[in-house]
């Protein structure tokens, strides 16, 4: 079993330089949590100039160091690496796109395996059999992470039950703190971007409570807002207040003081969304927090402006209202347009208008079909979840954002057809791997084996 480096994460800065070779610059650095407040790198690991294609091959060892399938027992780190890899792959696609002159540098975060113990334990085997193939290691990690559901429950149910029991006082405290802060500050809601443990969530709410006691006048601007604890502070593209978990009270207070100034920018963003939607034949421009990287309102405004300019420069406008009812999501790091499995278009901000027009027109009918199908799947999923809750006497049944309705439905059906023996009141999370979370929730893969 692999370990992650304690209190360390890997940050990747990647950018493209304009030169005769049109090369890509990659920086890989370790950053300790103790040094995060200073935002400086503790150790520079690599600096190379590569073409876009060469970067993919050069990063191959890096992929195996951070691949999510090696982090089956670390759900938060696995989620971070999954999201960062998606963004990295999209960025590298753009680097290899002909005609792209420059791209804005981007910063990604990864957790890295600590393979020292693995190497020491396997030293004799390596000497006898030669160097190990990373792909074989990855395949073994996948297989090892998926035992049968019944055997895994038998081995881990007692641990989960104890952790769940121990977490009940913290859960009650979290519920009390959230309700109290929402009422005191007049908040619409408090959310978390990541699946942090209950203790960590409580500590964040306690910090916010202390700030409200120390600077009550500053937080009056938060009335009616949705607060989200995440990795950075600012106003999100969805118009929610983001509180960076690594920031101190002073930085939070400065953000709350600036909130009234976001009103004008919010109106401009709403206007841009409408104008871009009109240029796209009446499509609705959306921003989905669970599917997209966290963007500030300023970044979202810049993205909308770039696409508006690109569409205005085209000579093949969409007929007004011809695409009404469809949805579009914008991505900076995408090389070309795509159709998401949920039915919305994923459009790059820098796209040749003719190619964009052709792609959307060609796939409009399929987009409508997928949207209708998704509505049917979500309705079926809700019914099956309720049935499973009752049949298995679970405390909660939910899924990770990366699990689709098409995956959740067969999982629930199989749970209904052959319900596993489990203690009433357990909290079950459908994921891509087995794990017992720190507060007693049980993660099972959606494609679990009997």
């Amino acid at each position: 079993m692999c370990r992650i480096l304690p209190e360390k994460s890997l940050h990747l800065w990647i950018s493209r330089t304009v030169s005769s070779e049109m090369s890509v610059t990659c920086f890989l650095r370790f950053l300790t949590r103790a040094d995060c407040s200073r935002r400086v790198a503790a150790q520079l690991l690599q600096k190379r100039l590569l073409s876009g294609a060469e970067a993919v091959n050069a990063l191959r060892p890096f992929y195996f160091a951070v691949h999510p399938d090696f982090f089956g027992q670390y759900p938060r780190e696995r989620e971070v690496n999954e999201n960062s890899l998606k963004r990295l792959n999209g960025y590298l696609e753009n680097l290899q796109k002909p005609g792209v002159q420059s791209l804005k540098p981007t910063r990604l975060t990864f957790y890295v395996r600590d393979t020292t113990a693995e190497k020491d334990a396997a030293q004799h085997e390596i000497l006898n059999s030669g160097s190990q193939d990373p792909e074989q290691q990855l395949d073994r990690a996948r297989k090892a992470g998926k035992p049968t559901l019944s055997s895994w429950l038998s081995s881990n149910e007692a641990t989960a039950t104890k952790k769940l029991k121990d977490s009940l006082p913290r859960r009650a405290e979290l519920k009390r703190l959230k309700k109290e802060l929402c009422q005191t500050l007049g908040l619409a809601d408090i959310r978390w971007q990541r699946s942090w443990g209950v203790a960590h969530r409580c500590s964040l709410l306690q910090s916010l409570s202390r700030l409200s006691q120390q600077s009550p006048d500053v937080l009056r601007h938060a009335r009616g807002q949705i607060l989200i604890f995440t990795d950075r502070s600012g106003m999100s593209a969805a118009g929610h207040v983001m509180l960076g978990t690594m920031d101190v009270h002073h930085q939070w207070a400065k953000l709350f003081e600036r909130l009234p100034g976001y009103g004008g920018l919010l109106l401009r963003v709403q206007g841009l969304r409408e104008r871009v939607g009109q240029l796209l034949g009446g499509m609705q421009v959306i921003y989905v927090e669970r599917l997209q990287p966290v963007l500030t309102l300023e970044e979202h405004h810049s993205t909308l402006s770039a696409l508006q300019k690109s569409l205005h420069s085209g000579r093949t406008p969409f007929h007004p209202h011809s695409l009404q009812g469809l949805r579009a999501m914008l991505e900076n790091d995408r090389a070309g347009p795509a159709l998401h499995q949920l039915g919305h278009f994923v459009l790059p901000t820098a796209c040749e208008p003719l190619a964009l027009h052709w792609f959307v027109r060609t796939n409009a009918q399929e987009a409508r079909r997928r949207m209708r199908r998704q509505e049917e799947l979500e309705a079926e999923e809700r019914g099956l979840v309720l049935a499973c809750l009752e049949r298995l006497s679970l405390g909660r049944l939910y899924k990770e954002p990366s699990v689709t309705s098409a995956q959740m439905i067969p999982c629930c059906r199989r749970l209904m057809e052959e319900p596993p023996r489990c203690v009433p009141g357990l909290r079950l999370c459908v994921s891509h791997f087995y794990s017992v979370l720190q507060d007693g929730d049980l993660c099972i893969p959606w494609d679990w084996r009997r």
Side-chain angles (χ1 to χ4, degrees), residues 187-436:
L187 300 174
D189 195 13
I190 298 177
R191 303 173 184 171
W192 291 266
Q193 179 203 0
R194 302 196 188 285
S195 53
W196 288 306
V198 176
H200 185 49
R201 295 188 183 199
C202 280
S203 67
L204 292 171
L205 293 188
Q206 289 164 354
S207 295
L208 181 60
S209 180
R210 287 193 296 272
L211 178 60
S212 68
Q213 295 168 9
Q214 297 167 1
S215 308
D217 291 341
V218 172
L219 270 75
R220 72 182 186 277
H221 299 308
R223 185 167 297 275
Q225 299 281 356
I226 294 176
L227 299 189
I228 300 180
F229 289 99
T230 181
D231 296 329
R232 57 198 301 201
S233 294
M235 179 72 75
S236 76
H240 302 153
V241 179
M242 300 188 300
L243 299 181
T245 58
M246 302 302 295
D247 293 336
V248 295
H249 283 184
H250 176 66
Q251 292 166 306
W252 286 3
K254 288 178 65 177
L255 172 61
F256 285 119
E257 288 176 344
R258 297 198 310 269
L259 286 183
Y262 279 103
L265 183 57
L266 273 169
L267 290 175
R268 292 196 296 275
V269 166
Q270 291 169 2
L272 265 176
R273 280 180 180 168
E274 292 177 1
R275 290 194 291 275
V276 170
Q278 291 169 0
L279 291 170
L280 290 171
M283 272 198 226
Q284 179 188 4
V285 179
I286 61 173
Y287 171 76
V288 186
E289 288 179 324
R290 66 185 177 87
L291 297 178
Q292 295 181 258
V294 176
L295 294 179
T296 64
L297 194 62
E298 294 88 348
E299 290 168 339
H300 189 46
H301 181 273
S302 175
T303 297
L304 288 165
S305 298
L307 183 57
Q308 183 191 30
K309 292 177 182 177
S310 177
L311 292 172
H312 266 307
S313 66
R315 298 184 178 181
T316 55
F318 293 97
H319 189 276
H321 311 299
S322 61
L323 301 174
Q324 200 156 4
L326 296 178
R327 296 188 292 250
M329 188 171 72
L330 312 184
E331 282 190 6
N332 283 323
D333 297 338
R334 179 166 290 279
L339 181 60
H340 196 275
Q341 60 184 356
L342 300 182
H344 57 260
F345 286 98
V346 185
L347 307 180
T349 53
C351 182
E352 203 280 315
L354 184 60
L356 177 64
H357 187 277
W358 178 86
F359 182 86
V360 170
R361 282 295 185 190
T362 304
N363 292 277
Q365 184 175 353
E366 175 64 13
R368 296 187 191 278
R369 188 196 68 79
R370 292 189 186 185
M371 288 176 62
R372 289 193 299 269
R373 179 57 178 158
Q374 182 60 26
E375 290 174 359
E376 296 170 355
L377 290 174
E378 289 177 356
E380 184 178 0
E381 178 187 346
R382 287 192 294 270
L384 283 169
V385 167
L386 291 175
C388 282
L389 282 170
E390 183 178 355
R391 180 76 180 273
L392 303 178
S393 300
L394 297 173
R396 188 185 177 197
L397 176 60
Y398 63 104
K399 67 178 184 179
E400 288 190 340
S402 58
V403 176
T404 66
S405 296
Q407 294 169 332
M408 185 69 169
I409 287 172
C411 175
C412 290
R413 284 177 178 166
R414 295 169 66 217
L415 288 172
M416 292 283 291
E417 293 168 359
E418 192 173 335
R421 184 200 63 80
C422 57
V423 176
L426 281 180
R427 298 164 61 92
L428 207 61
C429 173
V430 177
S431 176
H432 298 277
F433 54 89
Y434 285 106
S435 177
V436 179

